[in-house]
Amino acid sequence: MSQPREHWGTRAGFILAAVGSMIGLGDIWRFPYEAYAHGGGAFLIPYLVALLTAGIPLLIMEFSLGHRSRGSAPAAFRSLHRAATPIGWWQVAVCFVIAIYYAVIIAWAVRYLGFSISLQWGGDPETFLFDEFLNVAETPGGISETNTGVMWPLIGVWVITLAILALGVRRGIEAANKIFVPTLIVLFSILVVRALFLEGAWTGLEALFRPDWSAILRADVWLAAYVQVFFSLSVGFGIMITYASYLRRRADMTGSALVAAFSNSAFEILAGIGVFAALGFIAVSSGVPVRYAADQGIGLTFVAFPKIISTLPAGAHLFGAAFFVSLVLAGLTSLISIVQVVVAAVQDRTDMRRVPAVLTVGGVIATVSVLLFPTDQGLYYLDVMDHFINQYGVAAASLASIVVVAWLLRRLSTLRDHANLTSALRVGRAWTILLAVVTPVVLGWLSVESVITELTEPYGGYPAGFVAALGWGVAGTALALGVLVSLVPWRERETAFIDYRREG
Amino acid sequence: MSIGGVTMLVISILVMWGGLAVTVVVLARHRERREMPVTGPGRESRPGAGPDVRRHAAPPRWRD
C-alpha cells in the first residue's frame, strides 16, 4: 500500500528549508573570492543578470516540476516522459556522491569549533591542518591510515543528519531549518559586525567592492557568475524538485522562488562583507596587500580564518566559535537536503516507510563516507570527487534536464501554466525563452570549457590514473547508475502530470 | 575606501536585501488580498477568493 505523501507544515517552513539548502559552505567560502577575482563590485552586474535570467527561472521550473508531480526527482521526470527518468536517477546518484564527502567538511568544522577554544592550530594553521589534523599522505592513492580525529565527528554529523531526516519532512527537516537558518543568520551577522570594527576591515571591503568595469567585457567573468548562481541555488541536484513535492496544493511557486533566491544572494553579500572585512584585518596586521591574504575553499576556512582568529585583539574564542558554528549550520542544512533527494527517490520507488528508508539509504551513504574520508587520503578523494561531480554531474545533469524538458519534450509551457495557477507573480513567455535559450547556452558553454580545460591541463596535477578513477570514474558511474536504475521495470501506474484544473 | 567601492557596497546591499524585502512585502500583500472575505450581492462571504484547488484533492497518482 502506498504511503500518504508528507507535507510542509507552513509555507515559511518550506522557504526556510529551501534557503537552508541554498545557503551552504559555498556561500561563505566560494562567493566572496569569486566576486573578488572577477571584477570586485562590477561582478554584481553579471551575477544579478545570471540570477534573473537563469537561476530564478530554473528554480521556478524545478519547483513547478516537483509540485506538479508530487514526486522525487526520478518520479518528476518520469511524469513528463518515461524516457526522461534517467535524468532524475542521475541527480539522485550525484547527490549520493556529494553527500559522502560534504559531511566530512562539516566534521572538520566541528573539530575546528573545539580547536578554536584553545586556538590549538598555533602559529602555523596550514601545517596544523594538513600535517597534524588531516595527516595527509605524501602522495594520492592507497589508504594507509584512519584518522579517528575526523572519524568520530563525522559519525556524529551522520547521526544528527539521519535523526533529523528520520523525523520526517515537518517534524524533522522543517523544524531543524526553522532553528538552524535563523541561528545561522544571527550568528553570521554578529560575526560581520565584529569584523567591521577590526582594523583594516575597510581595506578588505575596498578590495572586494572596488569595481573593475573592464571585467564585464570578459567572457570568463560572465561564466563565473552563472556558475556561482547555478551552484549556490541548489538547482540541478533534484533538491528543489524533491522539496517542492511536499508543498500543499495552494503553493506560491514563483514567489517562493524569488524569496529563496534573494535570501541566498543576500546571505552571500553578507558573507562577502564578513569574509573580506576579516581578510582586510589579517592583511593589514601582516603588512601585506589583501591579494596575498585572499583565499577560498579549505584554505580560507581552515587556514586563513584560524590565522585571523589567533590575531584578533579581543574575543577570539567567541569569533572562532561563531564562525565554525555558522559553517556547521550552513553545512548541515545543505547536507540534509542532499540526502533527502536520495531518501525520497528510494521511498517513491520502493514504497518504503520513512524511517527504514532513512536508515537504509543514509546507512549506506554514511558507511561509505566514514570508510573513505577520515583517512590520510580523504583530502585527495574529496578534492577530485568534488571537482568532477560538480562539473560533470550537477552541471551536466542540469543541462540534460533543461534540454529534455524544453526542447525534446517541449513541456515548459505546461510547467509555466502550472506555476501560474497558484502563484502570486505570474511568469510569461520571457521565462520560457530564458530557460530554453539562455540556460542551455550557458550550461553548454560551461561544459565545453570544462572538458577543454580538463584535456589540456589534468586537474590538480594528480596522477592520471587517480583522476580517471575518482574523477571521471565517479562522475561516469553516477550517469551510468542513473540509466541502469531507470531500466529496472516499474509496476506501471498512472504517472501523468496532475492537472489541477481538470481534477475534481 | 574609494567612491566606487562604497557605491558598489551600498548597491549590493540594497539590491539583494532590498530585493528580498520587496518580494516578501509583495507576497504578504497578495496573500492578504487572497484571504480577504469576498462579499457581494448573492455571494456568501468566504475565506479565499483565489482558485480553490483544495476541493480537487486526490491521492498521489505517481508511485509504482
Side-chain angles (χ1 to χ4, degrees):
Chain A
M1 204 176 123
S2 62
Q3 309 295 322
R5 193 153 196 89
E6 296 175 84
H7 285 113
W8 299 107
T10 60
R11 182 180 167 201
F14 162 67
I15 292 175
L16 278 174
V19 171
S21 173
M22 291 173 186
I23 298 178
L25 301 172
D27 285 37
I28 298 168
W29 79 17
R30 193 174 190 278
F31 172 79
Y33 189 85
E34 284 296 305
Y36 163 75
H38 294 99
F43 184 73
L44 181 70
I45 290 169
Y47 175 83
L48 200 59
V49 171
L51 185 69
L52 297 174
T53 61
I56 292 173
L58 201 51
L59 194 55
I60 293 171
M61 186 192 91
E62 293 205 352
F63 278 175
S64 188
L65 188 52
H67 183 241
R68 195 169 167 107
S69 66
R70 275 183 286 169
S72 56
F77 283 103
R78 188 177 170 83
S79 72
L80 289 176
H81 195 282
R82 193 186 297 179
T85 318
I87 298 172
W89 284 113
W90 188 8
Q91 290 181 334
V92 171
V94 165
C95 284
F96 184 102
V97 174
I98 293 176
I100 64 172
Y101 68 77
Y102 200 84
V104 184
I105 305 166
I106 306 172
W108 296 352
V110 170
R111 284 286 287 171
Y112 267 70
L113 176 60
F115 295 155
S116 68
I117 295 167
S118 57
L119 307 180
Q120 205 171 321
W121 45 72
D124 186 359
E126 192 169 348
T127 308
F128 176 81
L129 172 68
F130 296 113
D131 296 347
E132 290 182 42
F133 175 53
L134 295 179
N135 194 19
V136 181
E138 289 288 317
T139 51
I143 296 169
S144 58
E145 208 174 300
T146 301
N147 186 338
T148 50
V150 178
M151 191 176 72
W152 289 112
L154 180 59
I155 291 172
V157 166
W158 277 116
V159 168
I160 292 168
T161 304
L162 299 187
I164 290 168
L165 285 168
L167 285 171
V169 169
R170 195 188 302 188
R171 289 194 308 134
I173 302 172
E174 183 174 342
N177 276 287
K178 278 182 172 171
I179 298 167
F180 290 173
V181 175
T183 310
L184 166 65
I185 292 169
V186 169
L187 264 183
F188 212 86
S189 301
I190 294 170
L191 202 139
V192 169
V193 171
R194 176 70 187 102
L196 284 175
F197 285 96
L198 291 170
E199 192 194 348
W202 294 96
T203 310
L205 293 182
E206 166 73 6
L208 176 61
F209 286 102
R210 186 184 54 235
D212 170 13
W213 296 113
S214 66
I216 290 184
L217 301 173
R218 278 166 37 205
D220 66 303
V221 171
W222 285 87
L223 189 61
Y226 275 92
V227 170
Q228 177 61 32
V229 166
F230 281 129
F231 289 148
S232 75
L233 285 185
S234 292
V235 286
F237 295 77
I239 294 171
M240 294 303 149
I241 295 174
T242 307
Y243 270 9
S245 73
Y246 300 114
L247 278 168
R248 290 182 187 279
R249 288 177 166 268
R250 287 182 72 164
D252 188 333
M253 276 156 288
T254 58
S256 302
L258 280 168
V259 172
F262 273 109
S263 301
N264 177 59
S265 297
F267 187 84
E268 286 189 324
I269 294 294
L270 187 73
I273 293 171
V275 165
F276 268 81
L279 288 174
F281 161 70
I282 196 71
V284 168
S285 304
S286 317
V288 295
V290 177
R291 68 173 179 277
Y292 291 118
D295 204 348
Q296 63 175 333
I298 292 166
L300 173 77
T301 41
F302 299 108
V303 177
F305 260 86
K307 259 186 213 164
I308 292 164
I309 293 162
S310 295
T311 319
L312 282 173
H317 305 294
L318 283 178
F319 190 90
F323 180 73
F324 288 112
V325 170
S326 298
L327 270 189
V328 171
L329 293 178
L332 270 180
T333 49
S334 299
L335 180 64
I336 289 166
S337 68
I338 294 167
V339 182
Q340 174 59 21
V341 172
V342 192
V343 171
V346 169
Q347 269 194 289
D348 280 355
R349 183 70 183 82
T350 61
D351 218 13
M352 208 185 267
R353 284 181 181 277
R354 173 163 280 275
V355 174
V358 169
L359 291 178
T360 311
V361 170
V364 172
I365 300 175
T367 305
V368 176
S369 176
V370 171
L371 287 176
L372 279 183
F373 289 92
T375 63
D376 56 356
Q377 292 290 325
L379 186 63
Y380 296 130
Y381 292 167
L382 191 155
D383 189 25
V384 175
M385 284 167 81
D386 178 54
H387 173 77
F388 280 83
I389 205 68
N390 275 305
Q391 297 292 344
Y392 308 103
V394 178
S398 286
L399 178 62
S401 72
I402 197 71
V403 168
V404 167
V405 174
W407 292 101
L408 300 181
L409 302 176
R410 295 184 175 274
R411 298 302 288 271
L412 276 183
S413 55
T414 318
L415 293 175
R416 185 184 66 198
D417 291 346
H418 181 77
N420 286 339
L421 195 65
T422 53
S423 298
L425 306 166
R426 287 163 181 268
V427 288
R429 195 176 289 271
W431 177 79
T432 315
I433 296 167
L434 288 172
L435 274 177
V437 181
V438 177
T439 314
V441 165
V442 175
L443 284 170
W445 177 21
L446 164 67
S447 303
V448 171
E449 278 263 336
S450 303
V451 172
I452 292 170
T453 311
E454 232 69 71
L455 294 176
T456 52
E457 194 182 320
Y459 178 71
Y462 292 109
F466 187 75
V467 171
L470 281 156
W472 294 112
V474 169
T477 305
L479 172 60
L481 272 178
V483 175
L484 285 175
V485 175
S486 64
L487 290 177
V488 177
W490 299 57
R491 281 178 295 129
E492 278 310 320
R493 280 178 57 173
E494 202 168 355
T495 59
F497 265 134
I498 299 156
D499 191 334
Y500 289 6
R501 289 164 302 185
R502 273 188 278 152
E503 273 187 5
Chain B
M1 208 174 161
S2 67
I3 292 173
V6 172
T7 310
M8 291 316 289
L9 167 63
V10 173
I11 290 175
S12 303
I13 294 170
L14 282 180
V15 170
M16 297 311 174
W17 285 94
L20 173 62
V22 168
T23 316
V24 169
V25 169
V26 167
L27 290 178
R29 282 192 175 175
H30 179 271
R31 196 173 182 183
E32 265 173 30
R33 218 170 35 235
R34 203 174 58 177
E35 287 176 355
M36 235 164 27
V38 177
T39 53
R43 295 185 74 178
E44 283 180 14
S45 177
R46 64 181 176 88
D52 187 2
V53 289
R54 282 172 301 183
R55 69 194 173 85
H56 300 310
R61 290 162 65 182
W62 182 88
R63 202 175 278 125
D64 281 0

